[in-house]
Amino acid sequence: MEPFVLANGLELPPVGFGTYKAAQGDDVGVLRAAIEVGYRYFDTASFYGTEGALGRAIRESGVPREEFFLATKLWKDEMGYENAKQACENSLKRLGVDQVDLYLIHWPRPDLVSDWRTLDRETWRALEELYYDGYTRAIGVSNFLPHHLENLGEEARIFPMVDQLEFHPGYPQIEAVEFCQRCDVLPQAWSPLGRMRMLSDPLLAGIAAAHGVTGAQVCLRYALQKGVMPLPKSSDPTRMAQNLDVFGFALTDDEVNALDAMPQTGWSGEHPDRDRTLV
Ligand code: A2P
């Protein structure tokens, strides 16, 4: 299991765990199970409402904090220089840690904000300072397309180290992924299984059968072979373990190319440049 390496040298395990909807209130059962199964990279966000439960599950696990990699994000209403600083402080408090490993801007443009360019740059300036001040070991973005990244690049002292995108067969965002890779930005996949919307697709099912694995494992392997770090979610320990067990087979180039060319399937309907109410 080769780690992914960020532009600043930080190493990330090849598969992380997505925590969206993974906990409600004080219920840390799913997160505890994920730690027991072996996940050490956890992706959360202030919007998910899972930071508190994640922090508790980690403290109660008995596994040292430094063995975990914690990534969180500021939400659309936390953008702007001052807000971003405060948002990070709030996230650290909820997680119960002094430092996170990765801090991200969740979306490039809050709905209906016309001057998103200035807002993004001001927010990014705060993230750079949070990095220099040691509140986070890496900084990045989520759902940024090339033009959003280029906008940050015009004033940035540090270019984003990570860009977390919706990515799965049927929605591989090839242009955005290749742009990231040219700029030494690690692309991560949110919804790498397409929320199961395309697992019955005959192409995917055929590839899975040929390798004696599941469609979910094919999706994760596809991400890894494209140089994209997948962040699958599951509430079931057997499926959690299956999603880590993706290093015993490899897709052929033809299979990867066929998945690249799959018609759009399973898209969430979320687009960074569109008002969600219009989707
Ligand atoms: P469950 O929690 O019952 O396992 P994504 O990560 O693309 O958003 O997809 C998450 C969805 O995929 C969840 O509904 C989860 O359901 C399901 N899922 C996760 N892992 C697997 C797997 N290995 N096989 C089938 N479904 C899975």
Side-chain angles (χ1 to χ4, degrees):
M1 300 213 319
E2 288 292 308
F4 285 104
V5 183
L6 299 186
N8 68 347
L10 206 58
E11 293 191 351
L12 281 58
V15 179
F17 190 81
T19 69
Y20 183 48
K21 298 192 173 160
Q24 285 194 329
D26 286 340
D27 179 13
V28 298
V30 167
L31 298 165
R32 187 179 296 141
I35 295 170
E36 278 167 16
V37 164
Y39 288 90
R40 291 295 177 266
Y41 184 110
F42 287 87
D43 176 76
T44 182
S46 66
F47 178 71
Y48 298 168
T50 51
E51 291 173 315
L54 178 59
R56 205 180 115 206
I58 286 172
R59 279 190 299 282
E60 291 175 0
S61 71
V63 179
R65 159 71 182 95
E66 54 274 18
E67 289 188 22
F68 289 97
F69 194 107
L70 301 183
T72 193
K73 321 179 188 78
L74 60 83
W75 187 238
K76 296 174 180 181
D77 61 4
E78 294 172 315
M79 294 176 75
Y81 177 79
E82 295 295 342
N83 287 348
K85 293 266 179 111
Q86 187 60 53
C88 183
E89 192 180 322
N90 295 344
S91 282
L92 292 175
K93 247 187 230 147
R94 285 190 293 265
L95 282 159
V97 296
D98 298 328
Q99 181 189 54
V100 284
D101 300 289
L102 175 63
Y103 197 53
L104 306 171
I105 301 177
H106 208 141
W107 287 91
R109 22 181 335 175
D111 304 342
L112 307 175
V113 170
S114 55
D115 190 9
W116 59 270
R117 287 191 165 77
T118 307
L119 187 63
D120 283 5
R121 289 180 195 181
E122 282 295 287
T123 309
W124 186 249
R125 190 161 62 84
L127 263 67
E128 289 176 329
E129 288 178 18
L130 290 165
Y131 175 69
Y132 288 131
D133 291 342
Y135 292 107
T136 180
R137 295 168 72 214
I139 48 176
V141 294
S142 179
N143 301 300
F144 274 52
L145 299 177
H147 58 289
H148 305 120
L149 286 166
E150 276 165 352
N151 171 56
L152 285 189
E154 286 185 24
E155 283 176 9
R157 287 182 289 173
I158 307 169
F159 204 63
M161 300 168 192
V162 167
D163 189 1
Q164 194 179 118
L165 300 161
E166 178 173 355
F167 173 99
H168 50 78
Y171 201 67
Q173 304 220 60
I174 288 172
E175 193 195 330
V177 164
E178 289 182 357
F179 183 89
C180 284
Q181 290 170 335
R182 277 198 302 278
C183 299
D184 203 10
V185 177
L186 172 68
Q188 292 183 325
W190 65 259
S191 212
L193 312 177
R195 305 258 153 91
M196 310 299 299
R197 281 184 280 252
M198 74 297 160
L199 290 195
S200 57
D201 182 278
L203 172 64
L204 203 61
I207 295 174
H211 290 278
V213 298
T214 67
Q217 287 170 309
V218 171
C219 291
L220 297 168
R221 192 69 216 178
Y222 172 65
L224 290 165
Q225 289 185 219
K226 298 281 289 180
V228 177
M229 176 181 171
L231 305 169
K233 307 185 271 302
S234 178
S235 52
D236 172 77
T238 306
R239 288 192 285 279
M240 288 175 191
Q242 183 191 112
N243 296 345
L244 284 181
D245 181 19
V246 290
F247 299 93
F249 72 104
L251 304 176
T252 64
D253 289 347
D254 283 349
E255 288 168 336
V256 171
N257 292 339
L259 291 170
D260 277 347
M262 195 167 142
Q264 183 174 303
T265 320
W267 176 46
S268 67
E270 303 217 47
H271 190 284
D273 282 329
R274 273 179 230 156
D275 187 329
R276 284 159 63 109
T277 56
L278 303 176
V279 167

